[in-house]
Amino acid sequence: MRKYTAFGTAMLAAALMLNTGMAKAYEPGKPIPKKSINKHAIVEPNRMAWWSKARFGMFIHWGVYSVPAGVYEGEKVPGLGEWIMHDKKIPVDTYQAYAKDFNPTAYDPEKWVLMAKAAGIKYIVITTKHHDGFAMFDSKASDWNIVKRSPYHKDVIKMLADACRKYGMKLGFYYSQANDWNNAGGAAAGGHWDKKQDGSFDSYLDKVAIPQIKEILNNYGDVAELWWDVPTDMTKERAAKITPLLKDHPNIITNNRLGGGVEGDLETPEQYIPATGIPGRYWETCMTMNDTWGFKTYDDHWKSSKTLIRNLVDIASKGGNYLLNIGPKSTGEIPEPIVERLKDMGGWMKVNSEAIYGTTASPFRKLPWGRCTTKEMADGNTTLYLSVFNWPTNGELLVPGLKNQALSAKLLANGTSLKFKKVADGLSISVPSAALNEDATVIKLLIKGKPDVETVIPSANADGSFVLSPADADTKGGVQSEHTPPNLGYWTNAKATASWQIKITKAGTYVVEAPIGAVTEGNSFIIQVGNQSLKATAKATGNDGKYEVNRLGQIKIDKAGITNITVTPVAENWQHINMRDITFTPVN
Ligand code: FHN
């Protein structure tokens, strides 16, 4: 679990609230024909085709905030790097002085684009203006921009657009339409602490935001995506001033954060992967590599390359795109941990990208060992890409519930053919003793026809014992299954639940144990098994990544058979926990 500020979360919640009760999608973003949506397939409007195939994009948060880089008046400021002005209530003049030190002489946009390409990234979305209102482009609408106020005096967006065009990389623009802490009137709703921010929000929209949106739409060639953010006070009427600007850009893809009830094309889960995707909507998970979007000198909480690769696979298996963020330094350099991770992702993609690009969601509800992506073949058969995270130790990989006839199975990395046979619970594939790639080894399985999968409910062992693993959980409310180590994380919401279905083999009393990491004391939860429940409290370990086995207590299971098990937090005192496997052992 990685923490982000309560404020950021609140802003996002506000963004999403403003998008509820939504009207129809605006022109030219034709609404997705909802009637033709089934659980995993969307009838694709053509302009979405490239995006759906791409699966992997790069977000860039770059601006004046990369100068203080998380430090103000000698003090390390907690929270997001790009929020420093807001979080420390930095006066406008003081903040604007940072622009004098924003001199990215090491900026090499071609190098950025080639780095992204080598990682397997297909499109870039960059902040043209974040909440600090600083335009990273040559703007006529406000001189609070890089050309006028920085010693660099160059339009870095134009330079990036040129590089993207040269190397065939799609480019999209992030634009903070309603939160602007420097242009007068722009902070009317989203935080206000300096007289210089005074002004009317409508006049800010008319004189700064709308002219700037026109500039980014018209001065840089094709814009692949327009990424609105935080629609504070964006009423229907205000949004209606912006949507017509997109009419001349019929191919542009927009997200769901404009506000005013505008649905846009994309859902934008932030910092999480929706447990079962977002059926019937295009979606793009945006995520940081460490804990900040904009560069901070001392944020070393980097996700491992393994986590990033598995996130990409996980997202593709749920039918979404991964918009992975980088925060460059004010010099224009990319921090080395980012470079290393993108290189690792590129190494994996070089061999396995076939399992990502152009694929659709998994037909399996859950797979105990990894993920699956799918490609429909022209002859009506289907390729299943099985990305194995946890390699079997017995030489057999069970594809549970698969009823189709298998035609061939190969290791994607080297083409080695694998034997397979039908078994009672699905298809069993004979695999080498060791994985080819610890991050994810892909098996390319060709099956006859469209996937026909029966949900297999796992069974307890003959002695009655069983283990509930994070990967098998059905999660609701934000808690999610994380990979390294496998755990249920992001469990910040006291209403979030994890549940499982299992075939109990023996009635009786069971001892329940689980390794848990918890920063604070007092996180209690209820384990509900059928109609019995057990209340337990996690021990604090001081760090949510430090696990200690908790003996949670005993519970009576009344009868054998299919049983639902749910873990629900007790709201009082709930902070968050990370929980690994829950083990049930019968008391003899
Ligand atoms: O407040 C911003 C944040 O700084 C960052 O830009 C993210 C990216 O999705 N969006 C906002 C919070 O939802």
Side-chain angles (χ1 to χ4, degrees):
M1 135 91 205
R2 307 200 191 280
K3 281 205 129 187
Y4 36 101
T5 61
F7 192 77
T9 314
M11 295 303 269
L12 181 64
L16 297 177
M17 262 156 53
L18 281 164
N19 279 318
T20 55
M22 280 176 285
K24 276 192 257 139
Y26 55 93
E27 286 295 326
K30 281 190 222 120
I32 298 162
K34 292 231 159 122
K35 280 202 186 114
S36 57
I37 292 167
N38 66 31
K39 194 161 188 298
H40 288 296
I42 289 173
V43 175
E44 200 113 282
N46 264 342
R47 65 199 182 79
M48 298 301 293
W50 73 266
W51 185 93
S52 296
K53 287 201 184 86
R55 292 284 171 249
F56 190 15
M58 183 163 88
F59 216 174
I60 305 178
H61 275 68
W62 196 32
V64 165
Y65 41 81
S66 61
V67 174
V71 179
Y72 183 58
E73 293 181 333
E75 182 203 325
K76 288 182 178 172
V77 182
L80 302 171
E82 69 283 5
W83 276 77
I84 194 166
M85 179 177 181
H86 173 278
D87 292 349
K88 293 309 287 182
K89 305 282 173 267
I90 301 178
V92 166
D93 288 343
T94 312
Y95 188 82
Q96 293 199 356
Y98 286 127
K100 297 194 185 96
D101 295 322
F102 188 32
N103 194 14
T105 49
Y107 175 47
D108 183 345
E110 293 202 6
K111 200 166 151 195
W112 287 19
V113 173
L114 291 174
M115 175 189 71
K117 271 202 120 157
I121 285 163
K122 294 287 189 189
Y123 62 104
I124 292 175
V125 179
I126 187 168
T127 48
T128 55
K129 184 194 88 162
H130 202 265
H131 311 327
D132 67 355
F134 188 71
M136 295 288 280
F137 54 98
D138 188 8
S139 176
K140 306 278 172 280
S142 162
D143 74 352
W144 175 229
N145 73 60
I146 190 162
V147 177
K148 305 262 168 23
R149 297 290 196 87
S150 82
Y152 193 57
H153 296 304
K154 288 189 214 163
D155 182 333
V156 293
I157 299 298
K158 173 160 192 319
M159 294 163 76
L160 184 62
D162 291 344
C164 284
R165 207 167 298 116
K166 177 163 172 189
Y167 293 108
M169 176 71 74
K170 298 244 181 213
L171 180 63
F173 293 148
Y174 169 111
Y175 187 83
S176 173
Q177 74 279 17
N179 272 267
D180 185 322
W181 306 318
N182 276 282
N183 287 297
H192 193 181
W193 54 92
D194 184 329
K195 275 213 94 30
K196 292 221 157 136
Q197 296 169 315
D198 286 357
S200 115
F201 182 53
D202 283 304
S203 141
Y204 150 79
L205 277 182
D206 291 340
K207 295 194 176 130
V208 179
I210 290 172
Q212 285 192 335
I213 294 165
K214 286 185 191 158
E215 288 174 333
I216 58 173
L217 281 174
N218 297 319
N219 297 348
Y220 300 94
D222 285 343
V223 180
E225 246 184 72
L226 227 173
W227 220 94
W228 311 114
D229 204 10
V230 190
T232 322
D233 275 5
M234 285 298 295
T235 57
K236 203 171 159 206
E237 292 69 33
R238 287 171 177 149
K241 287 184 174 180
I242 293 178
T243 47
L245 308 180
L246 299 166
K247 280 221 161 90
D248 295 335
H249 305 269
N251 292 323
I252 206 161
I253 293 169
T254 58
N255 75 359
N256 62 342
R257 298 191 184 187
L258 179 62
V262 177
E263 206 169 17
D265 301 303
L266 307 177
E267 297 296 310
T268 50
E270 179 166 328
Q271 299 286 38
Y272 75 95
I273 302 170
T276 49
I278 305 183
R281 287 284 289 163
Y282 295 100
W283 60 276
E284 184 184 62
T285 280
C286 55
M287 201 181 272
T288 51
M289 269 197 205
N290 49 358
D291 288 345
T292 177
W293 303 92
F295 176 65
K296 281 176 89 170
T297 45
Y298 53 91
D299 183 342
D300 293 324
H301 199 196
W302 299 101
K303 294 176 184 74
S304 66
S305 299
K306 175 184 269 183
T307 295
L308 299 174
I309 290 167
R310 290 184 174 185
N311 283 347
L312 174 61
V313 175
D314 191 15
I315 288 169
S317 80
K318 291 165 179 166
N321 281 16
Y322 196 20
L323 188 64
L324 181 59
N325 183 70
I326 69 163
K329 298 182 188 180
S330 62
T331 54
E333 289 159 302
I334 309 285
E336 202 45 40
I338 295 177
V339 176
E340 282 164 21
R341 279 157 182 77
L342 289 180
K343 221 176 247 165
D344 291 345
M345 294 186 89
W348 188 87
M349 285 293 274
K350 201 160 179 208
V351 177
N352 298 297
S353 64
E354 189 186 320
I356 302 293
Y357 300 141
T359 59
T360 50
S362 170
F364 301 94
R365 198 183 65 86
K366 290 264 173 209
L367 287 168
W369 36 255
R371 301 289 182 271
C372 169
T373 50
T374 309
K375 251 179 222 170
E376 242 175 62
M377 312 312 287
D379 59 5
N381 294 332
T382 307
T383 300
L384 300 179
Y385 296 93
L386 311 175
S387 291
V388 185
F389 299 164
N390 305 312
W391 197 252
T393 47
N394 63 356
E396 290 292 317
L397 185 85
L398 175 69
V399 187
L402 184 66
K403 290 165 81 178
N404 301 69
Q405 181 194 343
L407 301 172
S408 67
K410 286 179 184 156
L411 290 169
L412 182 61
N414 58 20
T416 305
S417 290
L418 304 172
K419 293 200 169 120
F420 49 83
K421 57 176 183 283
K422 274 221 150 156
V423 290
D425 280 352
L427 184 82
S428 183
I429 305 176
S430 302
V431 294
S433 54
L436 295 186
N437 188 310
E438 287 297 324
D439 300 330
T441 299
V442 181
I443 295 170
K444 181 175 175 178
L445 175 66
L446 183 66
I447 57 167
K448 198 160 173 48
K450 295 204 189 326
D452 184 3
V453 175
E454 193 178 56
T455 302
V456 178
I457 298 172
S459 182
N461 300 316
D463 68 357
S465 65
F466 59 95
V467 175
L468 304 177
S469 66
D472 289 339
D474 270 326
T475 51
K476 283 200 185 119
V479 55
Q480 55 184 293
S481 160
E482 296 189 294
H483 310 302
T484 38
N487 73 91
L488 289 167
Y490 286 93
W491 211 333
T492 46
N493 176 359
K495 290 197 175 133
T497 57
S499 8
W500 295 260
Q501 260 200 336
I502 183 141
K503 267 182 226 147
I504 301 285
T505 48
K506 280 188 175 167
T509 303
Y510 285 74
V511 171
V512 188
E513 292 170 306
I516 297 177
V519 182
T520 52
E521 289 290 347
N523 290 286
S524 300
F525 49 88
I526 309 276
I527 304 178
Q528 182 80 36
V529 183
N531 51 17
Q532 300 284 335
S533 63
L534 167 68
K535 183 176 175 190
T537 303
K539 282 185 270 181
T541 57
N543 178 335
D544 58 16
K546 188 172 164 227
Y547 294 90
E548 260 182 47
V549 176
N550 282 237
R551 204 184 151 103
L552 302 171
Q554 294 194 353
I555 192 162
K556 198 162 164 264
I557 301 184
D558 295 336
K559 53 177 193 299
I562 294 173
T563 306
N564 293 319
I565 302 182
T566 301
V567 179
T568 311
V570 173
E572 197 189 12
N573 292 334
W574 182 260
Q575 294 295 322
H576 77 271
I577 61 168
N578 283 358
M579 187 186 251
R580 303 201 57 192
D581 291 343
I582 312 177
T583 307
F584 288 70
T585 315
V587 177
N588 287 322

